[in-house]
Amino acid sequence: MGFKCGIVGLPNVGKSTLFNALTQTAAAAAENFPFCTIEPNVGVVPVPDPRLENCARIGKSAQIIPTQLTFVDIAGLVRGASQGEGLGNQFLAHIREVDAIIHVLRCFEDDDITHVDGRVDPLADSETIETELMLADLDSVERRIPALQKRAKGNDEEAKRDLALLERAVVVLREGKPARAVELDEDEQLAFQRLSLITAKPVLFVCNVEEAAAATGNAISARVAEKAAAEGIPCVVISAAIESEIAQLDAEERSVFLEEIGLTETGLSRIIRAGYDLLGLATYFTVGPKEARAWTIAKGTKAPQAAGVIHTDFEKGFIRAETIAYDAYVAHNGETGAKEAGKARLEGKEYVVQDGDILHFRFNN
């Protein structure tokens, strides 16, 4: 199950530097000119989770395999991208393919790094990007509606459903609001998601500040945080320059460096976790002598479907899930202790897997 977060922003805001640090590679050229990232770069990164390390220690597992997220570095958008300015159309197409959008905003002054609009104003930058994405969505919706109207007249039920959703979306978009502002019933959400509107995707703001403000943020990032809070958008403050340095250090050096600059963890760890939460994901664990492994599922996933993430045969032949909550697993020092304390359960097909569950699946071959 792959989940992708697209990293977007205007040119020269630190996207590629952030991507390089995220993936600990130099795959994306972090040069001081627009459009240095001609093709989207893709990196797969582990999701930091101390619970997995605890499970491995308690279970005496020989190997630790974390769950992962995919990040896509998408070249800088500019005003007019929705009309093909810069390399707009190409990059808008790449954004449609991701599950969530990480919007990097420049929150630092530096005369040596040019800004495409000649000033540092992350709120204006945010508005530019959002406007281009809304215009791209509006164009897409208006072109799709006539075809759906024809199909709907022929009593195509799927076309009728999609048409009704897009007609509501077009009203919101024409009002200058993103598609995520469309009010949906619970049973409409999946169908709406399948329409692949860019501005329906969840968004995370990442404020890229100067090195001295990495721990606390600055006055510019505070303005972004205020906007984020008002719109219900999560917000993370990082210094991409510092994260790039940290990515080159080993674990011990990293710990010392973080302490020196007043941080308890890297900004990248916070971005990865925030992206995970943004996508509405949960983690369950399998623990044994060979390996302790984290598995990604959508929140609300039932046990058979969670088993299917490991192998389709597990879902097809599902019988029961031996289940221990993470806290019980730790408190009773592993599977044996949890069972002796009556904390292990057998759950059936309707069980909704909880974040942190340690599971062992019983199934028919």
Side-chain angles (χ1 to χ4, degrees):
M1 190 181 293
F3 295 94
K4 290 183 179 180
C5 293
I7 303 175
V8 305
L10 294 178
N12 299 335
V13 297
K15 291 186 294 75
S16 294
T17 302
L18 174 62
F19 176 83
N20 288 344
L22 270 169
T23 57
Q24 297 189 356
T25 71
E31 301 293 342
N32 181 28
F33 56 88
F35 314 126
C36 64
T37 311
I38 302 303
E39 292 293 337
N41 289 282
V42 179
V44 180
V45 301
V47 176
D49 194 331
R51 297 176 301 178
L52 179 59
E53 295 173 14
N54 288 336
C55 286
R57 174 181 51 80
I58 294 169
K60 297 180 173 58
S61 304
Q63 188 179 11
I64 297 176
I65 304 178
T67 191
Q68 299 174 325
L69 275 184
T70 297
F71 287 87
V72 183
D73 179 27
I74 297 168
L77 291 168
V78 294
R79 188 175 289 106
S82 60
Q83 303 301 315
E85 289 295 322
L87 299 174
N89 291 334
Q90 178 183 345
F91 301 137
L92 289 167
H94 292 309
I95 296 172
R96 291 193 192 282
E97 296 173 3
V98 303
D99 302 297
I101 295 173
I102 294 178
H103 189 170
V104 181
L105 296 165
R106 176 174 168 176
C107 296
F108 64 90
E109 301 278 359
D110 189 332
D111 293 337
D112 293 330
I113 301 178
T114 60
H115 188 287
V116 70
D117 287 335
R119 79 309 178 245
V120 175
D121 185 346
L123 297 186
D125 292 354
S126 170
E127 186 175 328
T128 295
I129 294 289
E130 187 88 306
T131 297
E132 293 304 322
L133 298 184
M134 286 189 294
L135 288 171
D137 272 348
L138 183 58
D139 178 64
S140 170
V141 170
E142 288 178 337
R143 283 188 288 106
R144 290 158 74 180
I145 283 178
L148 285 172
Q149 287 173 330
K150 288 182 181 179
R151 287 172 52 198
K153 287 179 181 177
N155 288 323
D156 184 321
E157 292 303 320
E158 183 179 327
K160 288 180 181 179
R161 180 200 66 200
D162 290 350
L163 176 61
L165 290 172
L166 287 180
E167 286 176 338
R168 285 154 63 187
V170 80
V171 171
V172 166
L173 290 165
R174 284 172 178 166
E175 290 174 349
K177 299 175 185 176
R180 58 182 172 274
V182 175
E183 294 184 7
L184 301 166
D185 295 333
E186 188 174 341
D187 58 354
E188 294 176 321
Q189 290 175 357
L190 183 58
F192 193 68
Q193 182 181 334
R194 287 174 177 159
L195 296 173
S196 297
L197 299 180
I198 299 172
T199 60
K201 300 179 188 294
V203 175
L204 166 68
F205 285 154
V206 171
C207 298
N208 184 16
V209 300
E210 70 276 14
E211 295 185 18
T216 58
N218 58 25
I220 303 174
S221 67
R223 290 164 53 207
V224 177
E226 185 177 342
K227 170 184 170 68
E231 297 181 11
I233 295 173
C235 183
V236 173
V237 173
I238 60 107
S239 167
I242 282 184
E243 298 298 328
S244 186
E245 290 180 39
I246 292 173
Q248 308 306 315
L249 304 177
D250 62 32
E252 186 175 341
E253 291 172 328
R254 187 178 299 139
S255 179
V256 172
F257 185 78
L258 287 171
E259 188 174 346
E260 287 176 351
I261 61 175
L263 291 172
T264 57
E265 64 176 343
T266 66
L268 300 182
S269 292
R270 288 183 284 117
I271 290 174
I272 294 166
R273 280 205 310 275
Y276 202 73
D277 291 341
L278 191 65
L279 289 167
L281 305 179
T283 301
Y284 75 84
F285 306 106
T286 53
V287 184
K290 288 186 178 180
E291 66 180 36
R293 183 162 182 164
W295 302 89
T296 299
I297 55 172
K299 290 178 180 175
T301 298
K302 293 183 179 180
Q305 288 69 49
V309 173
I310 299 176
H311 198 288
T312 53
D313 287 349
F314 284 26
E315 180 176 355
K316 291 175 185 175
F318 179 88
I319 301 173
R320 289 281 186 276
E322 295 181 11
T323 308
I324 303 171
Y326 171 77
D327 289 344
Y329 187 87
V330 173
H332 298 285
N333 201 35
E335 183 179 339
T336 301
K339 286 181 176 179
E340 289 174 351
K343 297 298 183 180
R345 314 182 310 274
L346 284 178
E347 298 288 358
K349 292 183 178 181
E350 294 304 310
Y351 176 67
V352 175
V353 175
Q354 300 300 300
D355 186 60
D357 278 350
I358 289 89
L359 300 178
H360 176 72
F361 296 107
R362 296 181 183 179
F363 65 101
N364 289 318
N365 289 318

